Amino acid sequence: MGTLIEFQRVSQFFPTRGDVPAQALQEVSLDVRAGEFVCLIGPSGCGKTTLLHLLAGFLQPTEGKVRFNDQTVREPGPERGVVFQEYALFPWMTARQNVEFGLRAQAVPTTQRRNRALLALTRVGLEAAADRYPHELSGGMRQRIAVARSLVVEPKVLLMDEPFAAVDAMTRSTLQKDLLRLWQETGVSVLFVTHNIDEAIFLAQRVVVMAPHPGTISADFSVNLGYPRQRGSLDFANYYNRIETALAAGAFRQVA
């Protein structure tokens, strides 16, 4: 498959109260193929979320280029769906209405909008909750709605910023399996931010390790394991140790 996403020597600075701006990223280059599942992992402050926001079009790079589907990213677009950690659902809307939101912005006709929203909810196992409000649903259910809302506009990539960090371990495991199923069914690319090594290995075809101050890519692992993956296997443990070592080396390099 061809390259869908390109970060070309991207550096990002943010203003501070002093004279010297803070540097979040330093000459980051990264390619993601169409249909690929890539996890970004690293400590807080290494620029993972900044990379996602650049690709989403929420930010413009200080230096370098961010390209999507052979076009420079200049603004948000429906082909790049974003799923946040905190769900970002409208509390006054039902599950179906939340999922319909992006379709309404695209002026999709009412009947078609409703049918597509219900299909998206069915894909995440929440068709029975279509008329319920966010406060009536568990954290895991709310996150499924957020995923359905992103999928309903048929994006080419899902940008996921620690989407399962706020739920309990059992729900997190279920959501991980649901996400893999949806990825395999739709063929959508996924760029997934996490702090969790286990989660990265369980999900991704590639795990990109970032080091902080400023954010750089310190390692890039291809995870050559079939799906579904067995967390207790020796191969899984070997990847865990290699990624853990890379994370420690990146943190040490910044301190040394």
Side-chain angles (χ1 to χ4, degrees):
M1 294 185 181
T3 299
L4 182 67
I5 296 161
E6 298 174 86
F7 295 93
Q8 300 175 348
R9 298 180 65 118
V10 170
S11 295
Q12 189 70 27
F13 294 83
F14 292 110
T16 64
R17 293 182 180 179
D19 295 330
V20 181
Q23 186 172 9
L25 297 170
Q26 179 177 320
E27 294 194 352
V28 171
S29 294
L30 175 67
D31 292 351
V32 177
R33 299 189 305 273
E36 193 172 22
F37 197 130
V38 176
C39 276
L40 299 175
I41 190 168
S44 298
C46 70
K48 305 183 299 296
T49 294
T50 300
L51 278 178
L52 243 62
H53 286 186
L54 286 164
L55 182 54
F58 302 153
L59 297 172
Q60 290 297 305
T62 309
E63 299 172 1
K65 289 185 178 180
V66 180
R67 293 178 61 79
F68 180 83
N69 207 20
D70 292 327
Q71 300 292 322
T72 299
V73 174
R74 304 190 188 281
E75 61 187 2
E79 72 280 1
R80 287 161 281 134
V82 183
V83 181
F84 300 101
Q85 179 179 337
E86 298 300 330
Y87 321 127
L89 300 178
F90 298 110
W92 59 89
M93 292 184 180
T94 65
R96 177 180 56 79
Q97 290 168 337
N98 267 284
V99 174
E100 284 186 25
F101 182 79
L103 299 175
R104 187 180 297 112
Q106 295 177 2
V108 174
T110 302
T111 300
Q112 184 182 351
R113 191 170 71 220
R114 180 186 179 92
N115 290 341
R116 285 175 62 179
L118 291 173
L119 177 60
L121 285 168
T122 299
R123 295 187 92 162
V124 298
L126 284 179
E127 64 274 21
D131 295 322
R132 294 168 66 183
Y133 290 88
H135 73 271
E136 299 177 296
L137 305 172
S138 69
M141 294 170 78
R142 291 197 293 269
Q143 196 57 286
R144 284 191 179 94
I145 294 169
V147 171
R149 183 177 57 187
S150 292
L151 286 175
V152 77
V153 295
E154 300 177 352
K156 292 183 180 295
V157 63
L158 278 181
L159 309 177
M160 309 188 78
D161 192 1
E162 298 193 68
F164 308 148
V167 299
D168 62 82
M170 186 174 295
T171 301
R172 186 172 191 155
S173 177
T174 300
L175 290 173
Q176 290 168 353
K177 293 171 185 174
D178 288 344
L179 176 60
L180 284 175
R181 175 180 53 80
L182 290 168
W183 167 63
Q184 291 165 340
E185 287 177 358
T186 63
V188 67
S189 302
V190 180
L191 192 58
F192 187 106
V193 165
T194 182
H195 283 93
N196 189 298
I197 300 173
D198 180 278
E199 180 168 67
I201 300 168
F202 187 77
L203 292 174
Q205 295 173 304
R206 284 168 61 202
V207 178
V208 177
V209 178
M210 297 189 67
H213 312 307
T216 57
I217 292 175
S218 59
D220 189 337
F221 295 92
S222 293
V223 183
N224 298 313
L225 299 175
Y227 295 99
R229 293 175 176 169
Q230 304 301 317
R231 285 183 161 98
S233 72
L234 181 59
D235 287 338
F236 197 101
N238 286 337
Y239 277 110
Y240 192 104
N241 291 336
R242 291 169 62 194
I243 293 169
E244 186 176 46
T245 300
L247 284 166
F252 177 78
R253 186 194 66 196
Q254 296 300 324
V255 172

Coordinates of all heavy atoms in Angstrom, one line a residue, residues 144 164 168-180:
R144 N -17.2 4.3 22.7 CA -17.7 3.6 21.5 C -18.5 4.6 20.6 O -18.4 4.6 19.4 CB -18.6 2.4 21.8 CG -17.8 1.2 22.3 CD -18.7 0.0 22.3 NE -18.0 -1.2 22.7 CZ -18.0 -1.7 24.0 NH1 -18.6 -1.0 25.0 NH2 -17.3 -2.8 24.3
F164 N -8.4 5.1 25.4 CA -8.9 4.1 26.4 C -8.3 4.3 27.8 O -8.5 3.5 28.7 CB -8.6 2.7 25.9 CG -9.1 2.4 24.5 CD1 -8.4 1.5 23.7 CD2 -10.2 3.0 24.0 CE1 -8.8 1.2 22.4 CE2 -10.7 2.7 22.7 CZ -10.0 1.8 21.9
D168 N -11.7 1.4 32.9 CA -11.1 0.3 33.7 C -10.4 -0.7 32.8 O -10.6 -0.7 31.6 CB -12.1 -0.3 34.6 CG -13.2 -1.0 33.8 OD1 -13.0 -2.1 33.3 OD2 -14.3 -0.4 33.6
A169 N -9.6 -1.6 33.4 CA -8.7 -2.5 32.6 C -9.6 -3.5 31.8 O -9.2 -3.7 30.6 CB -7.8 -3.3 33.6
M170 N -10.7 -4.0 32.3 CA -11.5 -4.9 31.6 C -12.2 -4.2 30.4 O -12.2 -4.8 29.3 CB -12.6 -5.5 32.5 CG -13.4 -6.6 31.8 SD -14.5 -7.5 33.0 CE -13.3 -8.2 34.1
T171 N -12.7 -3.0 30.6 CA -13.3 -2.3 29.5 C -12.3 -1.9 28.4 O -12.5 -2.0 27.2 CB -14.0 -1.0 30.0 OG1 -15.0 -1.4 31.0 CG2 -14.7 -0.2 28.9
R172 N -11.1 -1.6 28.9 CA -10.0 -1.2 28.0 C -9.7 -2.4 27.1 O -9.5 -2.2 25.8 CB -8.8 -0.8 28.8 CG -7.6 -0.3 27.9 CD -6.5 0.3 28.8 NE -5.5 1.0 28.1 CZ -4.8 2.0 28.6 NH1 -4.9 2.4 29.8 NH2 -3.9 2.6 27.8
S173 N -9.6 -3.6 27.6 CA -9.3 -4.8 26.8 C -10.4 -5.0 25.8 O -10.1 -5.3 24.6 CB -9.2 -6.0 27.7 OG -9.0 -7.2 27.0
T174 N -11.6 -4.8 26.2 CA -12.8 -5.0 25.2 C -12.7 -4.0 24.1 O -12.9 -4.3 22.9 CB -14.1 -4.9 26.0 OG1 -14.2 -5.9 27.0 CG2 -15.3 -5.1 25.0
L175 N -12.4 -2.7 24.5 CA -12.4 -1.7 23.5 C -11.2 -1.9 22.5 O -11.3 -1.6 21.3 CB -12.2 -0.3 24.1 CG -13.5 0.2 24.9 CD1 -13.2 1.5 25.7 CD2 -14.6 0.4 23.9
Q176 N -10.1 -2.4 23.0 CA -9.0 -2.7 22.1 C -9.4 -3.8 21.1 O -9.1 -3.6 19.9 CB -7.8 -3.2 22.9 CG -7.1 -2.2 23.8 CD -6.1 -2.7 24.8 OE1 -6.1 -4.0 25.0 NE2 -5.4 -1.9 25.5
K177 N -10.1 -4.8 21.5 CA -10.5 -5.9 20.6 C -11.5 -5.3 19.6 O -11.5 -5.6 18.4 CB -11.1 -7.0 21.4 CG -10.0 -7.8 22.2 CD -10.7 -8.8 23.1 CE -9.7 -9.5 24.0 NZ -10.3 -10.4 25.0
D178 N -12.4 -4.4 20.1 CA -13.4 -3.8 19.2 C -12.7 -3.0 18.1 O -13.1 -3.0 16.9 CB -14.4 -2.9 20.0 CG -15.3 -3.7 20.8 OD1 -15.5 -5.0 20.6 OD2 -16.0 -3.2 21.7
L179 N -11.7 -2.2 18.6 CA -11.0 -1.3 17.6 C -10.3 -2.2 16.5 O -10.3 -1.8 15.3 CB -10.0 -0.5 18.4 CG -9.1 0.4 17.5 CD1 -9.9 1.4 16.6 CD2 -8.1 1.2 18.3
L180 N -9.6 -3.3 16.9 CA -9.0 -4.1 16.0 C -10.0 -4.7 15.0 O -9.7 -4.7 13.7 CB -8.2 -5.3 16.7 CG -6.9 -4.9 17.3 CD1 -6.4 -6.1 18.1 CD2 -5.9 -4.4 16.3

